Structure formats: C-alpha cells, structure tokens
Amino acid sequence: MATYTLPELPYDYAALEPVINPQIIELHHDKHHAAYVKGANDTLEQLEEARDKGAWGAINGLQKNLAFHLSGHILHSIYWHNMTGDGGGEPLAADGVGDLADAITESFGSYAGFRSQLTKAAATTQGSGWGVLAYEPLSGKLIVEQVYDHQGNVGQGSAPVLVFDAWEHAFYLQYKNQKVDFIEAMWQVVNWQDVAKRYAAAKERADVLLLAP
C-alpha cells in the first residue's frame, strides 16, 4: 500500500475566484500535487529495493528525491487549507485569532511589517519556491522562511503555519509572469482561522518538535 495519499480539496475548484481561477486549482491539485505524492511513494519503494539488494549507488539522488517530493506533498497539504473564499484581511482578536495576531506583532513589530516580509520572501524566490510563516520552537517566535523548491533554506525544527506557493504552476495561467501580483492577491484568501489553529498546535508541541539544550 502507498504510504502517502492525495488529500481532497476542502472546497470546490471555483471557491477561490477571482484570486485563483478554477483551472489553476484543478491542475495544481489533481496534477502537480498528485505528482509529488506519487514521487514520494515511488522513492520509498526504490529505497526499499536498495535496502533489500544492498545497492546504494543511487542513495544521494534517492534521498534528495524523497525530500523534494515529501516536502512538496506536505507544503501543498497545508496550502489548500491556508486558503478560503471567505478569508483575507488582518488577523484580529475579534475574530478569535488574537493569540496569532499578538504573536505576529511580537515577532515582526507589526502586521504590516510581517506582511511586507512574507510578500517579499515569496515574490523574490529564485526560480521555484515558497514563502513560509513558521513557528520556531527554540525562540518561541514566528519567523519567515524563503523556501527554494520545497525543502531548501529552512530552519530545522520550525513548523510551517502559513505557506505561499510561488511556483509558476500556482499562478501562470492567470497572472502570467507577474508573480508579485499573485502574491499580493493571495492575502485576500488567507484563512486566518486555519493559520491560528496551526500556530496553537505548533506551540503546544514545541517540546516534542525540538528539545532545547
């Protein structure tokens, strides 16, 4: 049996219009995300075969493939739930996400400063990548990470709570080469309720995620 499976979308293909059109959502989920799931499962099978045969000539490539595909699967699984057609705006205590709002202010000085940093991180990835808001358990604060491909340039132990996909397949059919316009539009569909739940869970599991020295 496959270890990983493609999760269903939490909404229909048209739910995020006009920010993201249905064709992009369908292709992105059903083709690209599915490919990462298949890639992770295929690589696990190849590693099992290598163990059985004691044939380790391709170990470096296999480990890189596993990190690439598995991280792609994880980030996309977060991405779909990070968005909602009823989202956007600024996280506020009145909406039940006060802890997250306070953490953003404490970690970045202001919501505006945080938004600017995450927007720039996502929009300026060289080639393919992501902008990520993550909980860093050693400091107990939120940090912004700029992720190349799916797995590079991240702090070990940090837990992603909000992810912006800046790969071309996430926007090109609608926004052409205007990555910045896409990232700016993404703020209209952020599901702060989902982000707040992920932040709370990451804080609660901090000692499990990483034991501080």
Side-chain angles (χ1 to χ4, degrees), residues 32-173:
H32 291 280
H33 189 172
Y36 301 129
V37 172
K38 183 179 185 302
N41 286 323
D42 287 350
T43 305
L44 286 177
E45 290 182 3
Q46 293 164 9
L47 284 164
E48 181 180 2
E49 182 180 354
R51 289 194 301 273
D52 291 343
K53 295 181 178 179
W56 297 111
I59 184 64
N60 288 345
L62 289 174
Q63 294 293 165
K64 183 176 181 180
N65 286 344
L66 181 60
F68 176 83
H69 290 295
L70 178 55
S71 295
H73 173 37
I74 291 169
L75 287 170
H76 280 92
S77 296
I78 297 170
Y79 179 67
W80 305 123
H81 288 273
N82 272 172
M83 297 183 292
T84 175
D86 299 323
E90 182 176 344
L92 300 171
D95 297 323
V97 293
D99 286 348
L100 173 65
D102 290 344
I104 287 173
T105 299
E106 179 183 355
S107 300
F108 300 98
S110 66
Y111 171 75
F114 152 68
R115 174 168 170 161
S116 178
Q117 184 176 346
L118 183 55
T119 297
K120 290 296 184 181
T124 60
T125 51
Q126 295 178 342
S128 301
W130 299 70
V132 174
L133 174 67
Y135 176 76
E136 197 286 291
L138 282 182
S139 66
K141 293 186 176 181
L142 294 167
I143 60 172
V144 164
E145 298 179 322
Q146 188 178 53
V147 181
Y148 295 98
D149 291 332
H150 299 309
Q151 76 282 10
N153 218 34
V154 299
Q156 298 299 315
S158 60
V161 298
L162 174 63
V163 299
F164 279 10
D165 192 344
W167 283 62
E168 284 191 346
H169 63 239
F171 63 88
Y172 198 85
L173 288 176

Side-chain angles (χ1 to χ4, degrees), residues 185-201:
M186 275 288 299
W187 290 103
Q188 300 174 41
V189 294
V190 172
N191 184 349
W192 291 116
Q193 297 295 327
D194 182 70
V195 178
K197 289 178 182 178
R198 294 179 188 279
Y199 169 66

